[in-house]
Amino acid sequence: NKGKYDHYMQKEIHEQPESLTTTMRGRLIRGDSRKTKTVLLGGLKDHLKTIRRSRRIVFIGCGTSYNAALASRPILEELSGIPVSMEIASDLLDRQGPIYREDTAVFVSQSGETADTLLALDYAQENGALCVGITNTVGSSIARKTHCGVHINAGAEIGVASTKAYTSQIVVMVMLALAIGSDTISNQKKREAVIDGLLDLPYKVREVLKLDDEMKDLAQLLIDEQSLLVFGRGYNYATALEGALKVKEVALMHSEGILAGEMKHGPLALVDENLPIAVIATRDACFSKQQSVIQQLHARKGRLIVMCSKGDAASVSSSGSCRAIEVPQVEDCLQPVINIVPLQLLAYHLTVLRGHNVDQPRNLAKSVTTQ
Ligand code: UD1
Ligand code: M6R
């Protein structure tokens, strides 16, 4: 049931304040002796000791689920101190990459039925790793075959393009980082800030959804383009990859997410007055580096769309060929949840304006159950 919406993708983008609330329900609770809140992931509580002792955490997934894991990697590394590596499921299988008994392998999948992710799970299990699932579908193959895990509880996702599952996956993995992370004094302030940020996140997502009309106008400007580049780094490298994935998969427009730190190692050659380039430059530890990326793109007369924090539009769009999208600022590890929303809206409107099928993009299936 699409309710008042024209498409499931549109409905699922707009219901994110609610789906995120459901994802967190019952999982942020009051701590024993302190006034502060703490995280309780029922499915993991008997396994946290083992996870904390593991030598490495390996995230494994495909497509949007991989991108969600990538967005969560920095906070997991920061709070746990455990090295986190990333594997696209098919690539792990192609290489038969090393997985050890001392590893915790985390399988991220909305459907819980993706063939490559399932085969990678069999492979990790054969190699003796502790296998953790992060799935949306209760009773799915990945939920059943993993040793333990967390349901993201985002509600059924029907549009082939994954939207609300992405943001709920990130929130679950941030909670995972809080649950695994040591409760050292040095981390305490950060943990409290992240928990407060989580509780406030649905309200901030509601705020960023107000950019809908602005994104429709932007889509109108980009309707006949051949390509869109998206530059991001740090927490928002994943935003660049995921934004580009949405644009190519539903709007059928070439789009590429690029790690901004790699700009001078090739992509800069593409920059001219015509190619639209989105740059994610919200405030976090990478902000000043992104400012200098913007200056260098300006110097080459790049056609920029800059996503920035509220109040920063004037400083980033000093050039006439630059458009700014202002988004609410949140805790750095949660910013990817906010920043993907305008790009989801952009991909949606581009698809409608270009006359393509929104919920069933050409050649794609919701769940990729064959290799
Ligand atoms: C569980 C109940 C929830 C109830 C809550 C009350 C289910 C599915 N969930 O939620 O209805 O409100 O207790 O305390 O009955 N698991 C995996 N792999 C995965 C995902 C999950 O093995 O990919 C396992 C978990 O380890 C756990 C079980 O499935 O044993 C349920 O996981 P989850 O729904 O996340 O647990 P709770 O949030 O505690
Ligand atoms: O169900 P899964 O999360 O395992 O699916 C993984 C990918 O097939 C999926 O995320 C795909 O990339 C989406 N259609 C992207 O929107």
Side-chain angles (χ1 to χ4, degrees):
N1 188 332
K2 295 196 281 266
K4 62 178 176 175
Y5 297 103
D6 297 327
H7 303 97
Y8 283 109
M9 181 186 181
Q10 184 190 26
K11 171 175 179 272
E12 288 160 2
I13 292 171
H14 285 274
E15 76 191 15
Q16 289 178 102
E18 291 76 33
S19 51
L20 290 171
T21 303
T22 321
T23 297
M24 290 185 273
R25 185 163 295 142
R27 290 170 165 173
L28 294 172
I29 56 156
R30 294 213 176 278
D32 302 336
S33 56
R34 282 182 255 131
K35 279 185 255 157
T36 51
K37 293 213 162 163
T38 173
V39 171
L40 178 80
L41 297 170
L44 293 187
K45 61 178 191 306
D46 299 334
H47 302 268
L48 282 176
K49 266 197 183 139
T50 317
I51 300 175
R52 286 192 191 112
R53 276 202 307 259
S54 51
R55 281 236 298 249
R56 172 176 77 146
I57 295 170
V58 190
F59 275 129
I60 301 165
C62 305
T64 291
S65 293
Y66 174 89
N67 293 342
L70 187 65
S72 321
R73 177 196 204 178
I75 190 68
L76 184 56
E77 288 180 333
E78 182 180 339
L79 293 182
S80 73
I82 304 171
V84 180
S85 60
M86 300 293 310
E87 292 284 359
I88 292 178
S90 65
D91 188 48
L92 176 67
L93 294 165
D94 290 347
R95 295 177 0 257
Q96 296 283 294
I99 297 282
Y100 300 110
R101 295 185 63 81
E102 300 81 11
D103 287 334
T104 294
V106 182
F107 297 85
V108 188
S109 174
Q110 188 285 132
S111 63
E113 302 296 347
T114 299
D116 284 324
T117 313
L118 258 168
L119 287 165
L121 169 56
D122 292 341
Y123 174 74
Q125 231 145 17
E126 281 160 23
N127 286 281
L130 175 72
C131 295
V132 179
I134 294 179
T135 48
N136 196 28
T137 316
V138 178
S140 61
S141 304
I142 292 173
R144 282 185 285 110
K145 287 184 160 189
T146 40
H147 297 119
C148 60
V150 189
H151 289 114
I152 67 169
N153 299 337
E157 190 181 63
I158 292 166
V160 166
S162 186
T163 52
K164 64 174 180 171
Y166 178 71
T167 48
S168 284
Q169 284 168 335
I170 296 176
V171 161
V172 162
M173 287 183 268
V174 170
M175 292 195 287
L176 176 74
L178 289 162
I180 298 174
S182 58
D183 208 355
T184 53
I185 299 288
S186 57
N187 273 343
Q188 203 170 314
K189 265 218 156 99
K190 178 75 184 178
R191 296 172 60 86
E192 283 173 23
V194 174
I195 291 175
D196 288 344
L198 281 169
L199 292 167
D200 208 30
L201 197 57
Y203 304 97
K204 300 286 187 187
V205 171
R206 183 155 292 138
E207 205 178 314
V208 76
L209 280 166
K210 292 182 185 150
L211 291 172
D212 197 19
D213 288 340
E214 204 176 316
M215 290 304 112
K216 193 172 173 183
D217 292 346
L218 183 59
Q220 193 74 58
L221 282 178
L222 298 177
I223 183 170
D224 293 322
E225 294 302 333
Q226 301 274 332
S227 180
L228 172 71
L229 300 187
V230 190
F231 280 78
R233 73 195 313 148
Y235 278 107
N236 287 290
Y237 174 36
T239 308
L241 295 185
E242 176 59 10
L245 177 56
K246 289 292 92 94
V247 170
K248 75 184 118 191
E249 121 172 277
V250 281
L252 315 189
M253 180 190 285
H254 171 258
S255 186
E256 202 179 321
I258 295 175
L259 185 70
E262 282 287 285
M263 182 176 75
K264 290 183 186 166
H265 303 286
L268 195 54
L270 288 171
V271 179
D272 63 13
E273 289 157 36
N274 304 311
L275 175 67
I277 303 176
V279 184
I280 318 291
T282 41
R283 288 201 179 246
D284 62 18
C286 296
F287 181 64
S288 66
K289 283 185 173 178
Q290 279 304 71
Q291 293 288 91
S292 103
V293 163
I294 291 169
Q295 275 164 15
Q296 294 174 48
L297 292 170
H298 272 324
R300 282 154 187 89
K301 303 206 165 34
R303 209 176 129 199
L304 304 191
I305 301 152
V306 178
M307 187 182 295
C308 60
S309 301
K310 280 231 164 92
D312 283 345
S315 59
V316 297
S317 55
S318 47
S319 148
S321 65
C322 183
R323 217 184 142 101
I325 305 166
E326 287 196 339
V327 298
Q329 190 183 348
V330 295
E331 191 61 29
D332 53 10
C333 64
L334 301 174
Q335 197 68 50
V337 172
I338 298 297
N339 292 0
I340 197 57
V341 174
L343 300 176
Q344 293 171 341
L345 291 167
L346 176 67
Y348 171 74
H349 288 298
L350 265 177
T351 310
V352 174
L353 291 170
R354 284 159 69 94
H356 298 306
N357 190 327
V358 175
D359 289 330
Q360 293 276 307
R362 179 172 83 186
N363 308 337
L364 297 182
K366 179 67 181 161
S367 182
V368 184
T369 53
T370 54
Q371 270 193 296

